[in-house]
Short mmCIF file of all heavy atoms in Angstrom, two decimals:
data_model
loop_
_atom_site.label_atom_id
_atom_site.label_comp_id
_atom_site.label_asym_id
_atom_site.label_seq_id
_atom_site.Cartn_x
_atom_site.Cartn_y
_atom_site.Cartn_z
N VAL A 340 -13.32 -10.56 -10.84
CA VAL A 340 -14.07 -9.86 -9.78
C VAL A 340 -13.91 -8.34 -9.91
O VAL A 340 -14.83 -7.57 -9.68
CB VAL A 340 -13.69 -10.38 -8.37
CG1 VAL A 340 -12.22 -10.19 -8.08
CG2 VAL A 340 -14.47 -9.69 -7.26
N ARG A 341 -12.74 -7.91 -10.38
CA ARG A 341 -12.54 -6.46 -10.56
C ARG A 341 -13.47 -5.93 -11.65
O ARG A 341 -14.09 -4.89 -11.49
CB ARG A 341 -11.07 -6.17 -10.93
CG ARG A 341 -10.11 -6.29 -9.77
CD ARG A 341 -8.75 -5.72 -10.11
NE ARG A 341 -8.00 -6.53 -11.04
CZ ARG A 341 -7.05 -7.41 -10.68
NH1 ARG A 341 -6.72 -7.56 -9.42
NH2 ARG A 341 -6.42 -8.13 -11.58
N GLU A 342 -13.57 -6.69 -12.74
CA GLU A 342 -14.40 -6.23 -13.85
C GLU A 342 -15.86 -6.13 -13.43
O GLU A 342 -16.56 -5.18 -13.72
CB GLU A 342 -14.26 -7.17 -15.05
CG GLU A 342 -13.14 -6.69 -15.95
CD GLU A 342 -12.68 -7.73 -16.96
OE1 GLU A 342 -13.48 -8.62 -17.32
OE2 GLU A 342 -11.51 -7.64 -17.38
N LYS A 343 -16.32 -7.15 -12.70
CA LYS A 343 -17.71 -7.18 -12.27
C LYS A 343 -18.00 -6.03 -11.31
O LYS A 343 -19.09 -5.46 -11.30
CB LYS A 343 -17.95 -8.53 -11.59
CG LYS A 343 -19.38 -8.82 -11.31
CD LYS A 343 -19.59 -10.32 -11.10
CE LYS A 343 -20.87 -10.53 -10.32
NZ LYS A 343 -20.64 -10.91 -8.94
N SER A 344 -16.99 -5.68 -10.52
CA SER A 344 -17.24 -4.71 -9.44
C SER A 344 -17.41 -3.29 -9.94
O SER A 344 -18.04 -2.49 -9.28
CB SER A 344 -16.09 -4.75 -8.44
OG SER A 344 -16.05 -6.01 -7.87
N VAL A 345 -16.83 -2.97 -11.10
CA VAL A 345 -16.91 -1.58 -11.56
C VAL A 345 -18.37 -1.15 -11.71
O VAL A 345 -18.79 -0.11 -11.21
CB VAL A 345 -16.12 -1.38 -12.87
CG1 VAL A 345 -16.33 0.03 -13.41
CG2 VAL A 345 -14.64 -1.62 -12.64
N ARG A 346 -19.17 -1.98 -12.38
CA ARG A 346 -20.56 -1.61 -12.60
C ARG A 346 -21.41 -1.71 -11.34
O ARG A 346 -22.39 -1.00 -11.18
CB ARG A 346 -21.19 -2.45 -13.73
CG ARG A 346 -20.87 -1.84 -15.07
CD ARG A 346 -21.32 -2.67 -16.22
NE ARG A 346 -20.67 -2.23 -17.44
CZ ARG A 346 -21.19 -1.31 -18.27
NH1 ARG A 346 -22.35 -0.77 -18.03
NH2 ARG A 346 -20.53 -0.96 -19.36
N GLN A 347 -21.01 -2.60 -10.46
CA GLN A 347 -21.74 -2.67 -9.18
C GLN A 347 -21.44 -1.45 -8.35
O GLN A 347 -22.23 -1.00 -7.55
CB GLN A 347 -21.29 -3.90 -8.39
CG GLN A 347 -21.86 -5.19 -8.92
CD GLN A 347 -21.33 -6.38 -8.14
OE1 GLN A 347 -20.34 -6.28 -7.42
NE2 GLN A 347 -21.98 -7.52 -8.29
N LYS A 348 -20.24 -0.92 -8.56
CA LYS A 348 -19.78 0.15 -7.68
C LYS A 348 -20.20 1.54 -8.15
O LYS A 348 -20.52 2.40 -7.36
CB LYS A 348 -18.25 0.07 -7.61
CG LYS A 348 -17.60 1.13 -6.79
CD LYS A 348 -16.12 0.86 -6.63
CE LYS A 348 -15.38 2.12 -6.27
NZ LYS A 348 -14.00 1.91 -5.96
N LEU A 349 -20.18 1.75 -9.46
CA LEU A 349 -20.42 3.09 -9.99
C LEU A 349 -21.65 3.14 -10.88
O LEU A 349 -21.82 2.29 -11.75
CB LEU A 349 -19.19 3.55 -10.80
CG LEU A 349 -17.89 3.65 -10.01
CD1 LEU A 349 -16.71 3.85 -10.95
CD2 LEU A 349 -17.95 4.78 -8.98
N ASN A 350 -22.49 4.13 -10.66
CA ASN A 350 -23.70 4.27 -11.47
C ASN A 350 -23.82 5.72 -11.94
O ASN A 350 -23.66 6.64 -11.15
CB ASN A 350 -24.91 3.88 -10.61
CG ASN A 350 -26.14 3.72 -11.46
OD1 ASN A 350 -26.10 3.09 -12.51
ND2 ASN A 350 -27.24 4.34 -11.04
N PRO A 351 -24.08 5.93 -13.24
CA PRO A 351 -24.11 7.32 -13.73
C PRO A 351 -25.42 8.04 -13.42
O PRO A 351 -26.49 7.42 -13.36
CB PRO A 351 -23.95 7.13 -15.24
CG PRO A 351 -24.44 5.77 -15.52
CD PRO A 351 -24.26 4.94 -14.30
N ILE A 352 -25.32 9.35 -13.23
CA ILE A 352 -26.52 10.20 -13.16
C ILE A 352 -26.70 10.75 -14.58
O ILE A 352 -25.93 11.60 -15.04
CB ILE A 352 -26.29 11.36 -12.17
CG1 ILE A 352 -26.03 10.80 -10.77
CG2 ILE A 352 -27.49 12.30 -12.17
CD1 ILE A 352 -25.79 11.85 -9.72
N GLU A 353 -27.69 10.24 -15.27
CA GLU A 353 -27.81 10.51 -16.71
C GLU A 353 -27.82 11.98 -17.06
O GLU A 353 -27.21 12.42 -18.03
CB GLU A 353 -29.05 9.82 -17.26
CG GLU A 353 -28.82 8.35 -17.49
CD GLU A 353 -29.86 7.72 -18.41
OE1 GLU A 353 -30.58 8.45 -19.12
OE2 GLU A 353 -29.93 6.49 -18.36
N LEU A 354 -28.50 12.79 -16.23
CA LEU A 354 -28.66 14.19 -16.62
C LEU A 354 -27.34 14.95 -16.63
O LEU A 354 -27.24 16.00 -17.24
CB LEU A 354 -29.69 14.90 -15.73
CG LEU A 354 -29.47 14.94 -14.23
CD1 LEU A 354 -28.67 16.16 -13.83
CD2 LEU A 354 -30.82 14.92 -13.53
N GLU A 355 -26.32 14.40 -16.00
CA GLU A 355 -25.02 15.06 -16.04
C GLU A 355 -24.27 14.73 -17.34
O GLU A 355 -23.23 15.32 -17.62
CB GLU A 355 -24.15 14.66 -14.83
CG GLU A 355 -24.60 15.26 -13.52
CD GLU A 355 -24.52 16.80 -13.49
OE1 GLU A 355 -24.00 17.40 -14.44
OE2 GLU A 355 -25.03 17.37 -12.52
N PHE A 356 -24.76 13.77 -18.08
CA PHE A 356 -24.06 13.33 -19.29
C PHE A 356 -24.79 13.73 -20.58
O PHE A 356 -24.16 14.00 -21.60
CB PHE A 356 -23.90 11.80 -19.27
CG PHE A 356 -22.93 11.32 -18.21
CD1 PHE A 356 -23.37 11.01 -16.94
CD2 PHE A 356 -21.58 11.22 -18.49
CE1 PHE A 356 -22.47 10.59 -15.95
CE2 PHE A 356 -20.67 10.80 -17.52
CZ PHE A 356 -21.13 10.48 -16.24
N ARG A 357 -26.13 13.75 -20.52
CA ARG A 357 -26.90 13.86 -21.74
C ARG A 357 -26.51 15.08 -22.59
O ARG A 357 -26.57 16.21 -22.12
CB ARG A 357 -28.40 13.91 -21.40
CG ARG A 357 -29.27 13.32 -22.51
CD ARG A 357 -30.71 13.16 -22.08
NE ARG A 357 -30.88 12.40 -20.84
CZ ARG A 357 -31.63 12.79 -19.82
NH1 ARG A 357 -32.28 13.94 -19.88
NH2 ARG A 357 -31.76 12.03 -18.75
N GLY A 358 -26.04 14.81 -23.80
CA GLY A 358 -25.72 15.88 -24.75
C GLY A 358 -24.46 16.68 -24.41
O GLY A 358 -24.18 17.69 -25.05
N LYS A 359 -23.70 16.25 -23.41
CA LYS A 359 -22.53 17.05 -23.00
C LYS A 359 -21.21 16.45 -23.46
O LYS A 359 -21.11 15.24 -23.64
CB LYS A 359 -22.51 17.17 -21.48
CG LYS A 359 -23.65 18.03 -20.96
CD LYS A 359 -23.55 18.19 -19.47
CE LYS A 359 -24.76 18.93 -18.95
NZ LYS A 359 -25.09 18.59 -17.60
N ASN A 360 -20.22 17.34 -23.55
CA ASN A 360 -18.85 16.88 -23.77
C ASN A 360 -18.21 16.79 -22.40
O ASN A 360 -18.00 17.82 -21.75
CB ASN A 360 -18.06 17.87 -24.63
CG ASN A 360 -18.68 18.02 -26.01
OD1 ASN A 360 -19.31 17.09 -26.52
ND2 ASN A 360 -18.53 19.19 -26.61
N VAL A 361 -17.94 15.58 -21.97
CA VAL A 361 -17.48 15.41 -20.58
C VAL A 361 -15.99 15.04 -20.56
O VAL A 361 -15.50 14.32 -21.42
CB VAL A 361 -18.30 14.31 -19.83
CG1 VAL A 361 -19.76 14.69 -19.73
CG2 VAL A 361 -18.14 12.95 -20.49
N LEU A 362 -15.31 15.57 -19.54
CA LEU A 362 -13.93 15.14 -19.30
C LEU A 362 -13.96 14.28 -18.04
O LEU A 362 -14.27 14.77 -16.94
CB LEU A 362 -13.01 16.34 -19.07
CG LEU A 362 -11.58 15.98 -18.62
CD1 LEU A 362 -10.85 15.17 -19.67
CD2 LEU A 362 -10.78 17.25 -18.30
N LEU A 363 -13.72 12.99 -18.21
CA LEU A 363 -13.65 12.09 -17.06
C LEU A 363 -12.22 12.07 -16.55
O LEU A 363 -11.28 11.98 -17.34
CB LEU A 363 -14.06 10.66 -17.46
CG LEU A 363 -15.43 10.50 -18.14
CD1 LEU A 363 -15.71 9.02 -18.39
CD2 LEU A 363 -16.52 11.10 -17.27
N LEU A 364 -12.09 12.18 -15.24
CA LEU A 364 -10.74 12.14 -14.67
C LEU A 364 -10.62 10.96 -13.73
O LEU A 364 -11.48 10.77 -12.85
CB LEU A 364 -10.44 13.42 -13.88
CG LEU A 364 -9.08 13.36 -13.17
CD1 LEU A 364 -7.93 13.61 -14.13
CD2 LEU A 364 -8.98 14.35 -12.01
N ASP A 365 -9.57 10.17 -13.90
CA ASP A 365 -9.25 9.16 -12.89
C ASP A 365 -7.86 9.46 -12.35
O ASP A 365 -7.05 10.10 -13.02
CB ASP A 365 -9.33 7.74 -13.47
CG ASP A 365 -9.77 6.74 -12.40
OD1 ASP A 365 -9.67 7.08 -11.19
OD2 ASP A 365 -10.19 5.63 -12.76
N ASP A 366 -7.62 8.98 -11.12
CA ASP A 366 -6.29 9.23 -10.53
C ASP A 366 -5.21 8.48 -11.31
O ASP A 366 -4.09 8.96 -11.46
CB ASP A 366 -6.27 8.80 -9.06
CG ASP A 366 -6.83 7.42 -8.87
OD1 ASP A 366 -6.08 6.42 -8.99
OD2 ASP A 366 -8.04 7.31 -8.61
N SER A 367 -5.55 7.30 -11.81
CA SER A 367 -4.58 6.49 -12.54
C SER A 367 -5.34 5.47 -13.36
O SER A 367 -6.50 5.15 -13.07
CB SER A 367 -3.66 5.75 -11.55
OG SER A 367 -4.45 4.98 -10.67
N ILE A 368 -4.67 4.97 -14.38
CA ILE A 368 -5.24 3.87 -15.17
C ILE A 368 -4.21 2.76 -15.10
O ILE A 368 -3.05 2.96 -15.50
CB ILE A 368 -5.45 4.29 -16.64
CG1 ILE A 368 -6.32 5.55 -16.70
CG2 ILE A 368 -6.07 3.16 -17.43
CD1 ILE A 368 -6.37 6.17 -18.09
N VAL A 369 -4.60 1.62 -14.58
CA VAL A 369 -3.62 0.54 -14.42
C VAL A 369 -3.90 -0.55 -15.45
O VAL A 369 -3.26 -0.63 -16.49
CB VAL A 369 -3.62 0.00 -12.98
CG1 VAL A 369 -2.54 -1.07 -12.82
CG2 VAL A 369 -3.37 1.13 -11.98
N ARG A 370 -4.92 -1.35 -15.19
CA ARG A 370 -5.25 -2.39 -16.17
C ARG A 370 -6.28 -1.89 -17.18
O ARG A 370 -6.58 -2.57 -18.14
CB ARG A 370 -5.77 -3.63 -15.45
CG ARG A 370 -4.73 -4.26 -14.54
CD ARG A 370 -5.27 -5.48 -13.82
NE ARG A 370 -4.25 -6.09 -12.99
CZ ARG A 370 -3.99 -5.75 -11.72
NH1 ARG A 370 -4.69 -4.80 -11.14
NH2 ARG A 370 -3.04 -6.35 -11.04
N GLY A 371 -6.87 -0.74 -16.88
CA GLY A 371 -7.90 -0.20 -17.76
C GLY A 371 -9.27 -0.77 -17.46
O GLY A 371 -10.24 -0.51 -18.18
N THR A 372 -9.37 -1.53 -16.40
CA THR A 372 -10.65 -2.15 -16.02
C THR A 372 -11.72 -1.08 -15.84
O THR A 372 -12.84 -1.22 -16.33
CB THR A 372 -10.50 -2.88 -14.66
OG1 THR A 372 -9.24 -3.54 -14.64
CG2 THR A 372 -11.62 -3.85 -14.42
N THR A 373 -11.35 -0.02 -15.12
CA THR A 373 -12.32 1.02 -14.80
C THR A 373 -12.61 1.89 -16.01
O THR A 373 -13.78 2.10 -16.37
CB THR A 373 -11.78 1.91 -13.65
OG1 THR A 373 -11.32 1.06 -12.60
CG2 THR A 373 -12.84 2.85 -13.13
N SER A 374 -11.55 2.37 -16.66
CA SER A 374 -11.75 3.37 -17.72
C SER A 374 -12.59 2.83 -18.88
O SER A 374 -13.50 3.52 -19.36
CB SER A 374 -10.40 3.89 -18.22
OG SER A 374 -9.47 2.85 -18.29
N GLU A 375 -12.32 1.62 -19.29
CA GLU A 375 -13.05 1.08 -20.44
C GLU A 375 -14.55 1.04 -20.16
O GLU A 375 -15.36 1.46 -20.97
CB GLU A 375 -12.52 -0.33 -20.73
CG GLU A 375 -12.25 -0.54 -22.20
CD GLU A 375 -11.62 -1.88 -22.48
OE1 GLU A 375 -10.60 -2.21 -21.85
OE2 GLU A 375 -12.16 -2.60 -23.35
N GLN A 376 -14.89 0.54 -18.98
CA GLN A 376 -16.31 0.40 -18.64
C GLN A 376 -16.98 1.74 -18.40
O GLN A 376 -18.14 1.95 -18.76
CB GLN A 376 -16.45 -0.47 -17.39
CG GLN A 376 -16.01 -1.90 -17.60
CD GLN A 376 -16.51 -2.80 -16.49
OE1 GLN A 376 -17.68 -2.78 -16.13
NE2 GLN A 376 -15.62 -3.58 -15.91
N ILE A 377 -16.21 2.64 -17.81
CA ILE A 377 -16.80 3.92 -17.41
C ILE A 377 -17.11 4.77 -18.64
O ILE A 377 -18.11 5.49 -18.69
CB ILE A 377 -15.85 4.63 -16.41
CG1 ILE A 377 -16.62 5.19 -15.24
CG2 ILE A 377 -15.07 5.74 -17.02
CD1 ILE A 377 -17.01 4.24 -14.24
N ILE A 378 -16.27 4.65 -19.66
CA ILE A 378 -16.51 5.41 -20.90
C ILE A 378 -17.78 4.89 -21.57
O ILE A 378 -18.64 5.64 -22.03
CB ILE A 378 -15.29 5.33 -21.84
CG1 ILE A 378 -14.16 6.15 -21.22
CG2 ILE A 378 -15.61 5.82 -23.24
CD1 ILE A 378 -12.81 6.00 -21.90
N GLU A 379 -17.92 3.59 -21.56
CA GLU A 379 -19.13 2.99 -22.12
C GLU A 379 -20.36 3.47 -21.35
O GLU A 379 -21.39 3.80 -21.95
CB GLU A 379 -18.98 1.47 -21.96
CG GLU A 379 -19.55 0.65 -23.09
CD GLU A 379 -19.26 -0.83 -22.81
OE1 GLU A 379 -18.11 -1.23 -23.03
OE2 GLU A 379 -20.18 -1.52 -22.32
N MET A 380 -20.24 3.53 -20.05
CA MET A 380 -21.37 3.98 -19.22
C MET A 380 -21.71 5.45 -19.52
O MET A 380 -22.88 5.83 -19.57
CB MET A 380 -21.05 3.81 -17.73
CG MET A 380 -21.15 2.36 -17.27
SD MET A 380 -20.19 2.04 -15.77
CE MET A 380 -21.24 2.68 -14.52
N ALA A 381 -20.67 6.26 -19.73
CA ALA A 381 -20.90 7.68 -20.02
C ALA A 381 -21.63 7.82 -21.36
O ALA A 381 -22.55 8.62 -21.51
CB ALA A 381 -19.58 8.43 -20.03
N ARG A 382 -21.22 7.01 -22.32
CA ARG A 382 -21.88 7.07 -23.64
C ARG A 382 -23.32 6.58 -23.55
O ARG A 382 -24.23 7.19 -24.10
CB ARG A 382 -21.11 6.24 -24.67
CG ARG A 382 -19.75 6.83 -25.02
CD ARG A 382 -19.26 6.33 -26.38
NE ARG A 382 -17.84 6.59 -26.56
CZ ARG A 382 -17.33 7.78 -26.88
NH1 ARG A 382 -18.12 8.82 -27.06
NH2 ARG A 382 -16.03 7.94 -27.03
N ASP A 383 -23.50 5.47 -22.82
CA ASP A 383 -24.87 4.96 -22.66
C ASP A 383 -25.76 5.99 -21.98
O ASP A 383 -26.97 6.02 -22.20
CB ASP A 383 -24.86 3.68 -21.81
CG ASP A 383 -24.24 2.51 -22.55
OD1 ASP A 383 -24.02 2.64 -23.78
OD2 ASP A 383 -23.95 1.47 -21.90
N ALA A 384 -25.13 6.82 -21.12
CA ALA A 384 -25.93 7.83 -20.42
C ALA A 384 -26.18 9.05 -21.30
O ALA A 384 -26.77 10.03 -20.84
CB ALA A 384 -25.21 8.24 -19.13
N GLY A 385 -25.69 9.01 -22.54
CA GLY A 385 -26.03 10.07 -23.49
C GLY A 385 -24.97 11.13 -23.69
O GLY A 385 -25.24 12.18 -24.29
N ALA A 386 -23.74 10.89 -23.23
CA ALA A 386 -22.69 11.90 -23.44
C ALA A 386 -22.46 12.13 -24.92
O ALA A 386 -22.56 11.19 -25.73
CB ALA A 386 -21.40 11.44 -22.77
N ASN A 387 -22.15 13.36 -25.28
CA ASN A 387 -21.86 13.67 -26.68
C ASN A 387 -20.43 13.24 -27.00
O ASN A 387 -20.20 12.41 -27.87
CB ASN A 387 -22.06 15.18 -26.87
CG ASN A 387 -21.83 15.61 -28.29
OD1 ASN A 387 -22.12 14.85 -29.22
ND2 ASN A 387 -21.30 16.80 -28.48
N LYS A 388 -19.49 13.81 -26.26
CA LYS A 388 -18.09 13.38 -26.41
C LYS A 388 -17.55 13.01 -25.04
O LYS A 388 -17.92 13.62 -24.03
CB LYS A 388 -17.23 14.50 -26.99
CG LYS A 388 -17.42 14.68 -28.49
CD LYS A 388 -16.24 15.42 -29.08
CE LYS A 388 -16.35 15.68 -30.56
NZ LYS A 388 -16.65 14.57 -31.40
N VAL A 389 -16.67 12.00 -25.01
CA VAL A 389 -16.08 11.57 -23.73
C VAL A 389 -14.56 11.66 -23.83
O VAL A 389 -13.93 10.90 -24.55
CB VAL A 389 -16.49 10.12 -23.37
CG1 VAL A 389 -15.94 9.75 -22.00
CG2 VAL A 389 -18.01 9.96 -23.40
N PHE A 390 -14.01 12.63 -23.10
CA PHE A 390 -12.55 12.75 -23.02
C PHE A 390 -12.11 12.10 -21.71
O PHE A 390 -12.86 12.10 -20.73
CB PHE A 390 -12.13 14.23 -23.02
CG PHE A 390 -12.60 14.96 -24.24
CD1 PHE A 390 -13.76 15.75 -24.20
CD2 PHE A 390 -11.91 14.85 -25.44
CE1 PHE A 390 -14.21 16.41 -25.33
CE2 PHE A 390 -12.36 15.52 -26.58
CZ PHE A 390 -13.51 16.29 -26.52
N PHE A 391 -10.88 11.58 -21.72
CA PHE A 391 -10.42 10.88 -20.52
C PHE A 391 -9.06 11.41 -20.10
O PHE A 391 -8.17 11.56 -20.93
CB PHE A 391 -10.34 9.37 -20.77
CG PHE A 391 -10.52 8.56 -19.51
CD1 PHE A 391 -11.77 8.08 -19.15
CD2 PHE A 391 -9.44 8.30 -18.67
CE1 PHE A 391 -11.95 7.36 -17.98
CE2 PHE A 391 -9.62 7.58 -17.49
CZ PHE A 391 -10.88 7.10 -17.15
N ALA A 392 -8.93 11.70 -18.81
CA ALA A 392 -7.65 12.22 -18.30
C ALA A 392 -7.21 11.38 -17.11
O ALA A 392 -8.04 10.88 -16.34
CB ALA A 392 -7.82 13.67 -17.87
N SER A 393 -5.89 11.26 -16.96
CA SER A 393 -5.34 10.53 -15.82
C SER A 393 -4.41 11.45 -15.05
O SER A 393 -3.49 12.04 -15.63
CB SER A 393 -4.59 9.29 -16.31
OG SER A 393 -3.75 8.80 -15.29
N ALA A 394 -4.64 11.56 -13.74
CA ALA A 394 -3.82 12.44 -12.89
C ALA A 394 -2.42 11.87 -12.67
O ALA A 394 -1.58 12.52 -12.07
CB ALA A 394 -4.51 12.69 -11.57
N ALA A 395 -2.20 10.64 -13.13
CA ALA A 395 -0.87 10.02 -13.07
C ALA A 395 -0.42 9.71 -14.50
O ALA A 395 -1.25 9.58 -15.40
CB ALA A 395 -0.93 8.74 -12.26
N PRO A 396 0.87 9.55 -14.71
CA PRO A 396 1.36 9.16 -16.03
C PRO A 396 0.94 7.73 -16.38
O PRO A 396 0.44 7.01 -15.50
CB PRO A 396 2.89 9.24 -15.87
CG PRO A 396 3.14 10.01 -14.62
CD PRO A 396 1.96 9.79 -13.74
N PRO A 397 1.18 7.29 -17.62
CA PRO A 397 0.83 5.91 -17.97
C PRO A 397 1.58 4.91 -17.09
O PRO A 397 2.79 5.04 -16.90
CB PRO A 397 1.30 5.79 -19.43
CG PRO A 397 1.43 7.18 -19.94
CD PRO A 397 1.72 8.05 -18.76
N VAL A 398 0.85 3.92 -16.57
CA VAL A 398 1.47 2.86 -15.76
C VAL A 398 1.96 1.79 -16.74
O VAL A 398 1.14 1.11 -17.37
CB VAL A 398 0.45 2.26 -14.77
CG1 VAL A 398 1.04 1.07 -14.04
CG2 VAL A 398 -0.01 3.33 -13.79
N ARG A 399 3.28 1.69 -16.89
CA ARG A 399 3.81 0.83 -17.97
C ARG A 399 4.64 -0.34 -17.48
O ARG A 399 4.97 -1.24 -18.24
CB ARG A 399 4.70 1.67 -18.91
CG ARG A 399 3.94 2.73 -19.66
CD ARG A 399 4.63 3.08 -20.98
NE ARG A 399 3.68 3.58 -21.95
CZ ARG A 399 3.54 4.88 -22.28
NH1 ARG A 399 4.30 5.78 -21.72
NH2 ARG A 399 2.64 5.24 -23.17
N TYR A 400 5.03 -0.32 -16.19
CA TYR A 400 5.97 -1.34 -15.70
C TYR A 400 5.43 -2.00 -14.44
O TYR A 400 4.73 -1.35 -13.65
CB TYR A 400 7.33 -0.69 -15.42
CG TYR A 400 7.89 0.02 -16.62
CD1 TYR A 400 7.61 1.37 -16.83
CD2 TYR A 400 8.63 -0.67 -17.58
CE1 TYR A 400 8.09 2.03 -17.95
CE2 TYR A 400 9.11 -0.01 -18.70
CZ TYR A 400 8.84 1.33 -18.89
OH TYR A 400 9.30 1.98 -20.01
N PRO A 401 5.82 -3.24 -14.20
CA PRO A 401 5.33 -3.95 -13.00
C PRO A 401 5.83 -3.28 -11.72
O PRO A 401 6.85 -2.61 -11.73
CB PRO A 401 5.97 -5.33 -13.12
CG PRO A 401 6.45 -5.45 -14.51
CD PRO A 401 6.68 -4.08 -15.03
N ASN A 402 5.11 -3.49 -10.64
CA ASN A 402 5.58 -3.02 -9.34
C ASN A 402 6.10 -4.23 -8.57
O ASN A 402 5.49 -5.30 -8.58
CB ASN A 402 4.45 -2.34 -8.57
CG ASN A 402 4.96 -1.73 -7.28
OD1 ASN A 402 5.23 -2.43 -6.31
ND2 ASN A 402 5.15 -0.43 -7.27
#
Side-chain angles (χ1 to χ4, degrees):
V340 60
R341 285 192 288 262
E342 269 165 26
K343 190 160 158 254
S344 297
V345 174
R346 276 174 196 268
Q347 284 177 344
K348 178 172 159 174
L349 298 169
N350 192 46
I352 299 180
E353 281 197 17
L354 58 90
E355 288 297 353
F356 291 90
R357 209 171 306 132
K359 291 183 185 152
N360 298 331
V361 298
L362 172 62
L363 305 183
L364 175 78
D365 211 342
D366 48 87
S367 56
I368 304 170
V369 183
R370 297 179 178 88
T372 320
T373 311
S374 39
E375 226 175 308
Q376 294 196 49
I377 225 78
I378 290 171
E379 216 177 283
M380 283 158 79
R382 291 202 195 282
D383 290 349
N387 182 33
K388 283 200 182 308
V389 184
F390 302 99
F391 207 93
S393 163
V398 174
R399 294 206 154 104
Y400 304 91
N402 186 285

